[in-house]
Amino acid sequence: MSAAERSPGLLMVAGEDELPVYPLHTECRLGGLDYFPFHHARFFGSTMFATATNEEIGASLALWTYALGTQAPGGTLPTADVELAHAARCWRDMASWERLRTGVLRGWTRVRVLDQDGAPAGVRLAHPVVTEVAADMWKLVERARGKRQGNLDRQRLGRLRATLSELGFQQIARDEDKVLRVRAWLAERALPQSKPDVRAAVQRIFGMIT
């Protein structure tokens, strides 16, 4: 058995209907990334590479790219033959898809997918190695999202400090803990960082008026 075929994927556990549950929910889209890691040593050492025709390899690569780049959850495929044939570039000739199907779908199995609330959202196809790649890619997406969120938080905090200074609360603006208390007071009440709201927050928290 090849290294690719031994890969168990990540967090694929049995569901109530005995289908494995895919580790990424339906909102996990990977289309924002314009590449995917290609484990060439595993690929060239796999049984598939050793036994598949060039036509099967080409269709397989098309399916992997389709699964990782366009589908939700990322890394999965639909179960319908018409959609699979389209993704494998066999849509003009379903007979070609029928001929390639068994080899191209080697390693792909039916899995249960869930939405972001954990509710069942249908059945799709997953491959253990593609699942592993998708999970790694999703970590990159979340890391980038966290970085963007961190930058936004720092920008908002900077604007809040500037507003405090403009209102005459320079001492508070220089105190990190006090600035965070003002932000928390505003956030709890879903208030924007407008000058009237910031002034009200300072008056309520610190008893200061200008």
Side-chain angles (χ1 to χ4, degrees):
M1 183 178 292
S2 70
E5 291 165 331
R6 287 197 302 271
S7 175
L10 298 177
L11 303 177
M12 298 185 74
V13 297
E16 293 180 355
D17 56 4
E18 299 307 317
L19 285 178
V21 175
Y22 194 67
L24 304 182
H25 62 71
T26 53
E27 296 303 310
C28 296
R29 298 177 180 272
L30 304 171
L33 298 175
D34 57 2
Y35 71 97
F36 67 86
F38 185 76
H39 301 285
H40 56 85
R42 295 168 73 178
F43 177 70
F44 293 130
S46 68
T47 300
M48 175 196 166
F49 183 77
T51 61
T53 65
N54 287 341
E55 193 175 10
E56 288 172 337
I57 290 173
S60 295
L61 290 173
L63 287 182
W64 299 349
T65 304
Y66 184 78
L68 291 167
T70 71
Q71 296 298 284
T76 65
L77 289 172
T79 58
D81 271 318
V82 171
E83 294 178 80
L84 291 169
H86 177 83
R89 299 184 59 79
C90 296
W91 68 91
R92 294 189 180 92
D93 182 7
M94 288 300 291
S96 294
W97 170 246
E98 292 297 331
R99 176 169 49 82
L100 298 173
R101 189 181 192 282
T102 299
V104 170
L105 291 182
R106 180 176 186 148
W108 291 88
T109 57
R110 290 161 61 86
V111 295
R112 177 71 59 187
V113 297
L114 308 177
D115 66 19
Q116 59 185 340
D117 298 319
V123 173
R124 293 179 67 80
L125 299 179
H127 188 288
V129 178
V130 179
T131 297
E132 183 181 334
V133 171
D136 288 343
M137 290 176 67
W138 183 246
K139 290 177 184 177
L140 295 177
V141 171
E142 289 192 310
R143 193 177 303 146
R145 183 178 297 164
K147 185 176 181 180
R148 287 195 299 271
Q149 186 59 50
N151 290 337
L152 288 173
D153 287 344
R154 285 190 289 274
Q155 290 171 11
R156 292 192 188 102
L157 210 58
R159 288 195 293 269
L160 179 55
R161 288 195 184 95
T163 300
L164 286 164
S165 295
E166 290 171 9
L167 290 171
F169 302 121
Q170 287 86 357
Q171 185 176 357
I172 293 176
R174 290 191 292 269
D175 189 313
E176 182 80 9
D177 290 338
K178 289 181 179 179
V179 173
L180 292 176
R181 286 178 65 186
V182 172
R183 184 177 70 170
W185 190 92
L186 294 168
E188 287 170 2
R189 292 156 181 79
L191 295 173
Q193 294 182 174
S194 66
K195 287 184 178 181
D197 292 323
V198 172
R199 181 183 287 109
V202 171
Q203 291 172 353
R204 181 58 63 91
I205 297 170
F206 306 109
M208 297 175 62
I209 59 175
T210 57

